[in-house]
């Protein structure tokens, strides 16, 4: 007995509506990201990079949304009665130009989103050796993504079946590579922030200074990973629900990128003490900028051992003389009062450190 599945025309309508809703959220968050980049105190070069990435993600999402609308209107209206097999056969045809372009944009969006996570990982670790595995996984994402788009565009046999041997393995490999790239990069990034926060807590009175950044990174990583996992499970099960999930993931990639920048900015602006503002991102940046940021507080104590400090203060003596009383010889050793009408104190302080 065949398993129940979502009709492709229904899946197209649902995916377009849900993608449009998420795209609206991503558009608002894009505006918020531009505001956050203006508020953040960072170098112009970094702002320029983040702005270019934000515009690229928005451009890919917008193009994907437009193609989805055109594809839905074309399948349900224009070619409803002319395409052999009707709307269901139209949406099942993977060789359609709209489907190929959608997958190409999705591949580009994925590559940009994964590259951002790897770049953040490098900035926090300050070591290319740590990013070797994520970079290899990113290359596998690029290869499988290009292979998926190429296999779809050249599909002639069983082109109405996306799970066919000529296209299915490529798409499965692409989703698996993307999922592992995100999990590995996010784990390395989160572990580094956690370890730095733990070390900073040893030398500061506050605890959990970097905890908000860690929570933000984990939230973004979990959201993206769960979406990819759900799409992978649906595709392996040959369920048409993966069409809906993949269209939703397109704006989710933008949302996760925008969410990290906006939430960190809001956290930095709201994290104020009674004396001064303590920005978690500045703590992280200043810690990384240390020449030897791997040294702990205990190692600092061993390098600069504490010694006893002794303070010696001379005794304060006051002498007053009556005008009619002559000075005695013993008074010659007393301090001279002629320079001030009041008593004069001389402190001879010696520090032994």
């Amino acid at each position: 007995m065949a398993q129940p599945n979502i009709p492709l025309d229904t899946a197209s309508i649902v995916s377009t509506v849900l993608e449009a809703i998420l795209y609206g959220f991503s558009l608002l968050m894009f505006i918020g990201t531009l505001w956050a980049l203006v508020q953040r105190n960072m170098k112009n070069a970094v702002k320029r990079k983040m702005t270019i990435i934000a515009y690229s993600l928005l451009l890919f999402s917008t193009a994907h949304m437009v193609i989805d609308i055109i594809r839905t209107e074309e399948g349900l209206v224009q070619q409803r009665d002319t395409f052999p097999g009707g709307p269901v056969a139209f949406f099942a045809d993977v060789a359609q130009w709209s489907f190929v372009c959608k997958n190409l944009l999705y591949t580009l969006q994925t590559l940009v989103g994964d590259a951002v996570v790897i770049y953040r990982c490098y900035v926090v670790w300050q070591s290319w050796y740590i990013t070797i595995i994520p970079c290899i996984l990113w290359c596998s994402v690029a290869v499988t993504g290009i292979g998926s788009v190429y296999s779809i565009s050249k599909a002639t046999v069983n082109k109405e079946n996306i799970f066919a041997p000529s296209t299915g393995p490529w798409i499965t490999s692409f989703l698996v590579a993307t999922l592992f790239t995100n999990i590995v990069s996010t784990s390395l990034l989160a572990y580094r922030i956690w370890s730095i926060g733990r070390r900073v807590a040893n030398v500061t009175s506050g605890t959990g200074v970097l905890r908000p950044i860690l929570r933000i990174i984990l939230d973004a990583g979990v959201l993206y990973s769960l979406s990819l996992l759900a799409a992978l499970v649906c595709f392996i099960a040959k369920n048409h629900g993966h069409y809906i999930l993949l269209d939703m993931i397109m704006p989710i990639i933008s949302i996760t990128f925008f969410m990290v920048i906006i939430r960190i900015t809001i956290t930095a602006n709201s994290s104020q003490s009674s004396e001064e503002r303590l920005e978690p991102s500045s703590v992280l940046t200043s810690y990384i900028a240390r020449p030897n940021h791997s040294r702990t507080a205990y190692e600092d104590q061993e390098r600069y051992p504490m010694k006893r400090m002794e303070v010696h203060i001379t005794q304060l003596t006051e002498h007053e003389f009556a005008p009619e009383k002559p000075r005695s010889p013993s008074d010659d050793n007393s301090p001279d009062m002629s320079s001030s009408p009041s008593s004069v104190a001389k402190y001879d302080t010696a520090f032994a450190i």
Side-chain angles (χ1 to χ4, degrees):
M1 182 178 178
Q3 296 181 354
N5 213 336
I6 304 175
L8 289 179
D9 51 352
T10 303
S12 177
I13 297 175
V14 173
S15 64
T16 303
V17 172
L18 294 179
E19 182 184 2
I21 295 174
L22 293 176
Y23 175 78
F25 280 111
S26 67
L27 188 60
L28 293 176
M29 296 184 70
F30 169 77
I31 299 174
T33 300
L34 296 182
W35 165 84
L37 292 176
V38 173
Q39 294 293 322
R40 293 284 297 276
N41 184 17
M42 61 177 62
K43 297 180 180 179
N44 291 331
V46 178
K47 284 186 178 181
R48 193 179 304 111
K49 292 179 181 178
M50 295 296 103
T51 303
I52 292 175
I53 293 173
Y55 273 104
S56 300
L57 294 176
L58 179 66
L59 178 63
F60 294 148
S61 296
T62 303
H64 192 275
M65 186 74 251
V66 171
I67 293 177
D68 255 344
I69 296 174
I70 294 175
R71 176 177 171 82
T72 303
E73 191 270 341
E74 187 177 1
L76 295 178
V77 179
Q78 292 185 6
Q79 302 190 31
R80 178 181 182 86
D81 300 324
T82 58
F83 195 88
V88 175
F90 175 85
F91 291 114
D93 188 1
V94 297
Q96 291 288 328
W97 71 271
S98 56
F99 190 77
V100 175
C101 291
K102 280 178 51 176
N103 282 270
L104 177 61
L105 291 172
Y106 179 79
T107 301
L108 294 176
Q109 184 91 327
T110 301
L111 291 175
V112 173
D114 292 347
V116 170
V117 180
I118 296 175
Y119 173 75
R120 287 171 176 164
C121 187
Y122 163 74
V123 170
V124 173
W125 280 94
Q126 290 292 302
S127 174
W128 285 112
Y129 296 103
I130 298 297
T131 60
I132 289 178
I133 295 179
C135 286
I136 293 175
L137 292 173
W138 185 86
C139 292
S140 66
V141 173
V143 172
T144 54
I146 295 174
S148 300
V149 175
Y150 181 80
S151 63
I152 289 173
S153 63
K154 297 299 181 180
T156 54
V157 181
N158 292 329
K159 65 178 182 178
E160 71 283 351
N161 183 17
I162 195 174
F163 308 108
S166 59
T167 57
W170 281 107
I171 298 177
T172 303
S173 301
F174 173 73
L175 294 175
V176 171
T178 305
L179 179 61
F180 273 96
T181 302
N182 182 71
I183 291 177
V184 172
S185 301
T186 303
S187 299
L188 289 173
L189 183 59
Y191 171 76
R192 183 59 173 171
I193 295 175
W194 173 81
S195 62
I196 291 176
R198 184 170 56 88
R199 293 175 181 177
V200 169
N202 292 332
V203 294
T204 58
S205 58
T207 58
V209 177
L210 298 179
R211 191 172 299 170
I213 295 182
L214 178 61
R215 185 166 55 248
I216 293 169
I217 295 297
L218 289 178
D219 288 346
V222 169
L223 174 63
Y224 186 32
S225 297
L226 289 179
S227 302
L228 287 172
L229 182 61
L232 178 61
V233 170
C234 287
F235 191 84
I236 293 176
K238 297 182 178 182
N239 189 285
H240 293 159
H242 81 277
Y243 287 104
I244 301 175
L245 292 171
L246 289 179
D247 285 345
M248 293 174 59
I249 291 175
M250 193 71 184
I252 286 177
I253 296 175
S254 302
I255 290 174
T256 54
F257 173 77
F258 300 149
M259 179 177 66
V260 171
I261 296 179
I262 294 175
R263 289 182 61 184
I264 288 180
T265 303
I266 294 176
T267 302
N269 291 336
S270 61
S271 60
Q272 292 184 351
S273 61
S274 58
E275 295 180 358
E276 61 179 358
R277 177 187 299 178
L278 182 60
E279 183 176 350
S281 58
S282 63
V283 174
L284 179 62
T285 304
S286 61
Y287 182 87
I288 295 173
R290 292 174 58 185
N292 186 13
H293 50 260
S294 61
R295 190 173 66 243
T296 62
Y298 300 102
E299 293 172 346
D300 287 339
Q301 293 179 4
E302 294 177 358
R303 183 174 180 179
Y304 304 105
M306 299 182 63
K307 299 179 181 179
R308 296 182 59 186
M309 181 178 68
E310 299 179 359
V311 180
H312 302 280
I313 304 177
T314 56
Q315 184 178 3
L316 170 66
T317 57
E318 298 183 0
H319 299 271
E320 296 182 356
F321 303 98
E324 67 278 0
K325 183 179 179 179
R327 290 172 61 94
S328 62
S330 61
D331 295 332
D332 295 337
N333 296 329
S334 62
D336 185 10
M337 297 282 103
S338 59
S339 60
S340 174
S342 61
S343 301
V344 178
K346 179 181 180 181
Y347 292 89
D348 181 17
T349 307
F351 295 91
I353 302 176

